[in-house]
Amino acid sequence: MRPIPKRLLIHSAQLSTPESCDVWQKVSYSQPAALSHVRLEPCSKIVLDTNNTERQQTATLFFDVVNSLPKSVVFEEGQQVQALGRTYTVLTVEPLYDDHKLHHWEVGLG
């Protein structure tokens, strides 16, 4: 299967990982890492998070393993994504494979 073409990966974003939580449960995040050649698509569906709580997913981020950068990115639930003037929380992380290897990631954002 061919990679997602760069002409479709028109967005960029910033990805921050939670580092610590203070006594008042305020989360502090790492310095944002720049993501380039990604695609954000609006969507509207209900998903379950790790605590079995229903959450509203408002966008999906597509990250191609060939054309998106950086190659070393690791997506985890609870991270923050800043893109298109909004801040999203990563709700789901889904690796999608072609016949033999990882093709792209679909990251559900809410």
Side-chain angles (χ1 to χ4, degrees):
M1 195 176 208
R2 301 168 103 181
I4 300 172
K6 273 191 179 178
R7 65 182 171 77
L8 297 177
L9 302 171
I10 59 173
H11 299 114
S12 59
Q14 300 286 322
L15 178 70
S16 301
T17 303
E19 288 188 324
S20 63
C21 191
D22 66 13
V23 223
W24 294 280
Q25 301 302 314
K26 181 170 173 28
V27 179
S28 62
Y29 290 88
S30 65
Q31 287 286 16
L35 304 177
S36 59
H37 303 294
V38 297
R39 184 168 189 92
L40 253 67
E41 286 289 331
C43 75
S44 179
K45 68 179 184 179
I46 303 294
V47 295
L48 293 176
D49 65 10
T50 53
N51 298 325
N52 264 351
T53 305
E54 287 186 354
R55 302 281 307 263
Q56 176 72 38
Q57 181 177 328
T58 57
T60 302
L61 178 119
F62 295 88
F63 186 91
D64 185 71
V65 297
V66 173
N67 289 323
S68 297
L69 296 172
K71 303 283 187 214
S72 60
V73 71
V74 176
F75 293 103
E76 299 171 355
E77 292 179 16
Q79 291 174 316
Q80 280 191 342
V81 174
Q82 295 87 25
L84 304 176
R86 291 190 58 192
T87 299
Y88 300 94
T89 300
V90 174
L91 301 177
T92 61
V93 178
E94 189 175 354
L96 294 169
Y97 293 85
D98 61 11
D99 292 336
H100 304 288
K101 61 186 181 338
L102 182 62
H103 184 263
H104 71 277
W105 293 92
E106 288 187 12
V107 181
L109 305 174

